[in-house]
Amino acid sequence: MSQFSFHWQLAHRILRDKGNKFSKPIIRLSVFGVALGVVIMLIAIGVTAGYKQVIEDKVVTMGQHIRISHYDRNYSYEQIPITLNDTLLQDIHRCPEVVSIQPYATKVGIIKTADQVEGVVLKGVNYSFDGRHFAHNLLEGDTLQFNDTVAGNQIILSKRLADKLQIKVGDKVRTYFVQDPPRQRSFTLVGIYETGLPEYDSKFALVDLRHVQKLNDWDSNQVSGVEVLTRDYRLIDQVGEQLHHQIDINLKAETVKQIYPEIFDWIALFDTNVSVLLIITTCVCMITMMSIFFIIILEQTRLIGILKTMGMKTKHVVQTFLVVAGNTLLKGLLVGNVIGLGLGWLQQKTHLIKLNPDTYYVNYVPIKFEILEVLLLNLGVFAACMLVLVVPAWIISKKISPVKAVQFE
């Protein structure tokens, strides 16, 4: 019989011993405590990952990862145009992380109905616009359709703007532009979207890029900027920095984090809060395991004395009781994972827990579990709890005298 097999069987007997009337309910309580801690930690990391994924998807559907525009100090939507030529395209594609580019142009206007007036920012896009990805935000209608010869008179509005203007899909939308001379355009509403991000929903309407170019008196190569989609969202800071140095000195590359810092600063608070929560919950699990460990050793003092009298070394006694603690800890982790992942799966499928989208940018609690994160969480909790037990186990087992322990009641 191997040494580990002997420790395992002895630990199994200790846990199975019907005479342990005091420690058994305490062990069950510790399993529940560890399980509850694991559930809390799994939900915390799942919600954080889910929020990041949802916000990333929403931002990408409207603006990609990185925006390249003219390097001026004008922060309005009436931007100085840049020329979309082969040199700029080559500079962008020199970065291997770039997946696609999307030119755009913006124009501030006014939408007027019979009894409503609302300001709007027309965002012109062309055939490179990812309509399939954007379709996830559509509540009604369809995405823009592009014609090779003429600009289509289609427009997509947010639900917020459509509700204020009291218009629906199929209605005519008259827009007016304050310039010299003043201009007017008539569009047909083909779609209504909702991202949940006020920065988009309160301002932007999508139209054919060529309309905005004509309104701005630009030629077909002039645009407000270029939006770049990267291969890996986690690398947008590095890619943004690289593009900024590759493109012309009169241009700038900004990541969505720099364009909308208020959104991503808010998301960053989740990481801080979750880190604090993980540390506190892990400490609670460690204290729980230490408590049950002391109780088990106290109840098995007589057994420790007998084992030492029979010649068992202190380190082998320690190993046996660490196996007992590890068995209890693994049960808690198993129960916690089943409950935590089960609750997460239920929320993913049913969106049972709702949120106020005006505050949280989404109308339900999003959850996403990464296998690697779940495994690392379990390994981290197990390692931390087992490490804090080694020293007290050694000290207690070393201090227990065989003669006094055998007499212990």
Side-chain angles (χ1 to χ4, degrees):
M1 181 185 296
S2 67
Q3 195 174 83
F4 177 78
S5 178
F6 172 73
H7 294 323
W8 179 261
Q9 290 191 19
L10 183 57
H12 187 68
R13 282 180 176 274
I14 293 173
L15 290 169
R16 287 286 203 174
D17 189 358
K18 295 182 178 180
N20 302 338
K21 296 181 179 179
F22 180 71
S23 64
K24 278 192 176 297
I26 303 298
I27 290 176
R28 294 192 186 98
L29 187 61
S30 68
V31 170
F32 172 78
V34 172
L36 180 61
V38 172
V39 170
I40 292 172
M41 289 188 280
L42 283 175
I43 297 299
I45 64 173
V47 169
T48 301
Y51 258 112
K52 288 181 177 180
Q53 184 66 56
V54 167
I55 297 300
E56 177 192 346
D57 290 343
K58 288 179 179 293
V59 169
V60 168
T61 58
M62 293 298 292
Q64 307 294 331
H65 290 155
I66 299 169
R67 183 178 71 187
I68 296 175
S69 58
H70 195 278
Y71 205 159
D72 65 348
R73 296 185 181 276
N74 179 12
Y75 294 100
S76 72
Y77 294 103
E78 300 289 340
Q79 296 174 307
I80 297 175
I82 66 173
T83 302
L84 188 63
N85 52 31
D86 291 339
T87 302
L88 176 58
L89 295 176
Q90 290 172 4
D91 288 341
I92 296 174
H93 283 296
R94 277 166 52 197
C95 179
E97 290 297 323
V98 171
V99 174
S100 64
I101 63 171
Q102 173 183 300
Y104 74 93
T106 55
K107 182 70 176 178
V108 177
I110 298 172
I111 296 179
K112 185 179 183 302
T113 60
D115 54 358
Q116 298 290 332
V117 176
E118 193 69 32
V120 68
V121 177
L122 293 189
K123 181 177 181 179
V125 294
N126 64 5
Y127 59 88
S128 63
F129 179 70
D130 191 351
R132 289 179 299 176
H133 202 168
F134 179 79
H136 294 294
N137 295 323
L138 278 178
L139 301 179
E140 300 177 47
D142 202 354
T143 58
L144 297 175
Q145 304 298 319
F146 298 98
N147 189 299
D148 291 337
T149 55
V150 296
N153 291 321
Q154 299 177 331
I155 189 171
I156 297 178
L157 293 178
S158 70
K159 184 178 184 301
R160 182 176 298 190
L161 288 172
D163 289 345
K164 286 182 178 180
L165 296 166
Q166 300 176 7
I167 56 178
K168 59 184 183 298
V169 172
D171 289 349
K172 292 294 181 180
V173 179
R174 295 189 180 278
T175 57
Y176 300 85
F177 305 92
V178 181
Q179 58 189 82
D180 188 17
R183 295 183 181 180
Q184 179 264 334
R185 290 288 187 276
S186 180
F187 298 99
T188 300
L189 182 61
V190 297
I192 296 176
Y193 76 89
E194 184 176 50
T195 66
L197 301 175
E199 289 76 7
Y200 294 133
D201 294 348
S202 62
K203 301 184 183 76
F204 286 98
L206 299 179
V207 297
D208 193 305
L209 173 65
R210 288 167 287 190
H211 277 297
V212 180
Q213 289 174 324
K214 289 179 181 178
L215 288 168
N216 286 332
D217 294 322
W218 295 347
D219 63 42
S220 59
N221 291 324
Q222 290 182 301
V223 294
S224 296
V226 176
E227 294 169 333
V228 179
L229 179 66
T230 63
R231 198 176 310 279
D232 189 345
Y233 171 79
R234 294 169 296 183
L235 300 177
I236 63 171
D237 291 327
Q238 296 93 307
V239 176
E241 186 70 20
Q242 181 179 347
L243 287 175
H244 185 72
H245 289 93
Q246 286 180 184
I247 57 180
D248 189 87
I249 192 171
N250 293 320
L251 305 178
K252 61 181 176 181
E254 301 171 288
T255 68
V256 290
K257 295 180 181 179
Q258 296 169 320
I259 299 170
Y260 299 108
E262 62 281 357
I263 296 178
F264 291 93
D265 287 346
W266 182 77
I267 293 295
L269 290 176
F270 274 75
D271 291 329
T272 303
N273 294 337
V274 168
S275 298
V276 173
L277 180 62
L278 292 179
I279 292 172
I280 292 175
T281 310
T282 302
C283 290
V284 171
C285 291
M286 291 162 61
I287 293 171
T288 300
M289 289 307 302
M290 287 183 67
S291 301
I292 185 59
F293 193 69
F294 283 124
I295 291 172
I296 292 174
I297 289 182
L298 181 63
E299 195 172 57
Q300 298 297 331
T301 301
R302 185 178 178 85
L303 175 61
I304 294 174
I306 293 173
L307 293 174
K308 282 194 169 185
T309 303
M310 294 174 63
M312 180 177 281
K313 296 181 180 179
T314 299
K315 67 177 183 178
H316 294 152
V317 175
V318 171
Q319 290 171 1
T320 299
F321 282 93
L322 286 177
V323 172
V324 173
N327 184 283
T328 304
L329 181 57
L330 286 173
K331 288 180 180 178
L333 290 174
L334 178 61
V335 173
N337 277 274
V338 170
I339 297 175
L341 295 176
L343 290 175
W345 178 84
L346 183 65
Q347 176 63 20
Q348 280 180 328
K349 297 299 180 182
T350 65
H351 299 167
L352 190 62
I353 302 176
K354 302 295 183 180
L355 293 174
N356 182 356
D358 292 334
T359 304
Y360 296 99
Y361 306 118
V362 65
N363 58 3
Y364 67 94
V365 176
I367 292 185
K368 177 186 177 184
F369 291 117
E370 297 283 355
I371 295 178
L372 181 59
E373 286 187 353
V374 173
L375 289 175
L376 290 175
L377 174 66
N378 282 272
L379 289 174
V381 172
F382 183 82
C385 290
M386 293 303 292
L387 282 173
V388 298
L389 299 180
V390 173
V391 175
W394 180 270
I395 294 175
I396 293 174
S397 300
K398 193 76 173 177
K399 294 293 184 181
I400 292 178
S401 168
V403 175
K404 292 181 179 180
V406 171
Q407 298 174 349
F408 180 80
E409 290 292 344

